[in-house]
Amino acid sequence: MHTIIEPFRIKSVEPIYFNSKEERIRILEDAFYNPFLIHSNDVLIDLLTDSGTSAMSSNQWGGIMRGDESYAGSPSFFRFQKAVQDITGMPLVIPTHQGRASEKILFSILGGKGKYFISNTFFDTTRANIEFSGAEAIDLLCEEGKFPSVPAPFKGNLDTELLKQCIIEKGAANIPLCMLTITNNSGGGQPVSMQNIREVKQICAEYKIPLFIDACRFAENAWFIKIREKGYADIPVPEIVKEIFSYADGCTMSAKKDAFANIGGFLAMHDTELAQLCRNLLVITEGFPTYGGLAGRDLEAIAIGLQEVMDAHYLEYRIRSIEYLTEKLIAAGVPVMQPAGGHAVYLDAKQFLSHIPVDQYPGEALVGALYIEGGIRSVEIGSLMFGKYAESGELIPAALELVRLAIPRRVYTQSHIDYVAEVIIEVFKNRKNIKGLRIVEESPVLRHFTVKLTPVN
Ligand code: F0G
């Protein structure tokens, strides 16, 4: 077996701006220890997100030039529509400017007080859109998904027993839809099995509840099914994808992930009446139905990306590259979430920095240490992002203190990834010198974006 190589050559490159450790100490101080406040050209390897950060192919750039910017009826829209119909089997396709715009439209129509939505785990923006409508978002992740260090093949699955109980308890009439997030981003990029999708669909059908898929990383999920689930090894990825969507009544998608686009998203579905309601809102919030929130050139890039992402050589390389980094870290004793997810490596900051109490934000402290040591930008997914305050003012911590290193698609090579592993291992060796952080300024919602911190002495 030879090394799995990057299945592309590089035609256009962007410079990485190097800086010194001393400069990075000052930059982090100026950014109040918040990675969102660092300018991106002060970052050497940017693993803040895999969203909108993909490298497009020469074919996609060709599509960008071909993009037809007509207000109505652009051929770019019809190519986009066909690409989405081909992969999802859903006839009604609604373009939006990104994933959360699709969510906003869908949940404004279906949500409201007294409604419940159920998922394996809703992503933050999805949950926020549901709650903004007045409805309640319920996560029913399977038991094995809750333990970062315990490997299992499909830790993104929804607990079907809890699903049945929840439907009976809340009443099917109050549940406008159930949603599977594939892969499960907030739960470590872990996949959902075909068997789970099928079972969830059966239960939903029994109670006449539509099943929607949050399809951001549908191709990565399909690859995990191919390599981990019995009976799928010899099935081509497009057919696995077709089967996944065959169980769904509709989907939302951020094209900034598995469509290799820098912007874009869509809603797709079978229900004509619901689609009409969505389009009515679309015209007010996004644009005319044949462009939604997008330029014709974006529609072209997405249409091409949706096909490219299902290439087996690409997916093998993609999933292997995340696993490769995870393995290097495990070998060095670094506590990471296992097994590797589809788009990111998650460090367990609670174990990594066991000397820092949760109210001193070990995740954010680790994010800072990785930046200072090697100019790597990551993101805390822990008590800074999800923590709440008790009435006494005490922090109610999140269940997990994680640091996510999300790998942009087709952007970094194996030597970049080797460098990332070296930096993390170096920081791990010197972890006792890392100090906790204290908040000096914060906003009431989504505080992690703008929060200002300072080290605790
Ligand atoms: N659903 C999932 C599973 C996501 O990961 C995201 C975005 C969205 C919906 C929203 O899509 O950003 O296009 O509006 N995730 C990014 C991330 C932001 O960094 O994980 P969007």
Side-chain angles (χ1 to χ4, degrees):
M1 180 75 176
H2 294 297
T3 301
I4 297 168
I5 58 173
E6 285 86 0
F8 47 80
R9 300 186 295 182
I10 297 166
K11 178 175 261 175
S12 177
V13 297
E14 281 182 287
I16 285 175
Y17 298 98
F18 288 86
N19 46 21
S20 67
K21 209 163 167 174
E22 288 65 40
E23 286 169 317
R24 290 195 293 269
I25 290 171
R26 187 188 47 74
I27 291 164
L28 190 64
E29 223 174 76
D30 290 348
F32 297 95
Y33 298 84
N34 178 348
F36 288 98
L37 303 182
I38 300 173
H39 295 195
S40 64
N41 51 9
D42 289 328
V43 174
L44 270 70
I45 306 281
D46 204 346
L47 307 182
L48 189 66
T49 180
D50 65 319
S51 179
T53 52
S54 299
M56 290 209 294
S57 65
S58 50
N59 210 358
Q60 284 180 295
W61 283 110
I64 292 274
M65 281 310 295
R66 188 171 61 161
D68 179 309
E69 303 303 342
S70 304
Y71 190 91
S74 160
S76 299
F77 170 73
F78 294 106
R79 276 190 282 273
F80 164 85
Q81 178 177 251
K82 181 165 185 320
V84 177
Q85 287 169 338
D86 284 351
I87 63 157
T88 64
M90 295 171 194
L92 307 164
V93 180
I94 298 168
T96 59
H97 80 274
Q98 63 182 80
R100 69 198 72 180
S102 304
E103 295 160 5
K104 173 75 181 150
I105 289 171
L106 186 64
F107 295 112
S108 298
I109 292 164
L110 297 179
K113 242 187 152 39
K115 302 281 191 225
Y116 301 89
F117 294 91
I118 305 171
S119 175
N120 49 343
T121 311
F122 284 111
F123 181 67
D124 339 4
T125 58
T126 324
R127 170 174 284 278
N129 272 304
I130 290 170
E131 290 173 354
F132 189 74
S133 81
E136 210 177 296
I138 302 170
D139 293 338
L140 300 178
L141 186 64
C142 65
E143 201 50 30
E144 59 266 36
K146 295 173 187 163
F147 303 94
S149 59
V150 183
F154 292 103
K155 291 171 81 170
N157 283 354
L158 188 150
D159 188 320
T160 48
E161 277 312 308
L162 291 181
L163 174 62
K164 283 184 226 166
Q165 285 173 23
C166 188
I167 294 174
I168 292 165
E169 190 187 315
K170 305 293 182 197
N174 301 319
I175 305 172
L177 65 79
C178 179
M179 185 174 246
L180 282 171
T181 309
I182 64 168
T183 56
N184 183 16
N185 185 9
S186 313
Q190 300 293 326
V192 178
S193 70
M194 193 72 89
Q195 189 186 340
N196 192 245
I197 299 172
R198 208 179 291 130
E199 284 174 9
V200 169
K201 173 63 189 176
Q202 269 166 11
I203 297 166
C204 286
E206 205 175 301
Y207 292 95
K208 299 198 166 49
I209 297 170
L211 173 63
F212 269 58
I213 288 181
D214 176 336
C216 291
R217 300 176 180 86
F218 72 95
E220 289 169 5
N221 200 97
W223 185 258
F224 281 118
I225 289 174
K226 186 175 172 72
I227 60 174
R228 291 187 187 166
E229 193 160 346
K230 201 163 162 257
Y232 287 94
D234 298 324
I235 314 270
V237 176
E239 281 183 39
I240 297 176
V241 168
K242 206 167 272 178
E243 185 180 344
I244 291 174
F245 284 108
S246 75
Y247 300 120
D249 299 280
C251 69
T252 57
M253 164 113 186
S254 166
K256 300 171 76 173
K257 284 81 170 175
D258 266 355
F260 302 118
N262 301 122
I263 196 74
F266 58 82
L267 266 162
M269 61 194 74
H270 290 281
D271 182 337
T272 320
E273 219 172 294
L274 179 61
Q276 193 49 47
L277 292 171
C278 290
R279 287 194 177 117
N280 293 345
L281 246 190
L282 184 84
V283 183
I284 303 170
T285 58
E286 294 282 294
F288 186 74
T290 62
Y291 71 86
L294 294 169
R297 52 179 169 267
D298 301 321
L299 295 168
E300 292 278 356
I302 295 167
I304 297 164
L306 285 173
Q307 281 302 320
E308 282 180 0
V309 78
M310 293 190 290
D311 176 67
H313 287 293
Y314 162 72
L315 286 170
E316 180 185 40
Y317 139 80
R318 168 74 176 160
I319 300 303
R320 177 62 199 144
S321 62
I322 314 287
E323 194 179 52
Y324 172 81
L325 176 56
T326 307
E327 281 172 5
K328 282 196 161 213
L329 299 176
I330 292 170
V334 177
V336 293
M337 182 172 268
Q338 294 188 53
H343 67 292
V345 173
Y346 293 72
L347 305 177
D348 185 344
K350 217 186 267 183
Q351 274 196 57
F352 197 117
L353 299 178
S354 54
H355 63 287
I356 300 181
V358 288
D359 63 357
Q360 292 181 15
Y361 305 104
E364 195 77 339
L366 181 51
V367 167
L370 295 174
Y371 177 71
I372 289 175
E373 181 61 34
I376 297 168
R377 177 154 69 168
S378 52
V379 68
E380 188 254 19
I381 302 192
S383 292
L384 192 69
M385 192 180 269
F386 295 124
K388 296 203 163 76
Y389 290 114
E391 268 180 37
S392 62
E394 216 175 306
L395 177 78
I396 306 169
L400 299 171
E401 303 294 335
L402 301 175
V403 168
R404 184 184 80 171
L405 300 128
I407 314 292
R409 295 169 183 77
R410 306 192 293 207
V411 169
Y412 293 115
T413 65
Q414 188 169 344
S415 55
H416 290 119
I417 299 297
D418 286 335
Y419 170 84
V420 170
E422 286 163 18
V423 170
I424 296 170
I425 292 166
E426 189 62 27
V427 169
F428 186 60
K429 281 183 188 148
N430 300 315
R431 62 190 179 279
K432 292 286 180 246
N433 302 330
I434 300 171
K435 291 192 180 119
L437 297 166
R438 168 171 75 76
I439 293 176
V440 291
E441 203 183 302
E442 65 183 301
S443 62
V445 279
L446 296 172
R447 64 174 178 175
H448 57 285
F449 288 129
T450 51
V451 69
K452 295 180 177 172
L453 303 121
T454 192
V456 174
N457 280 318

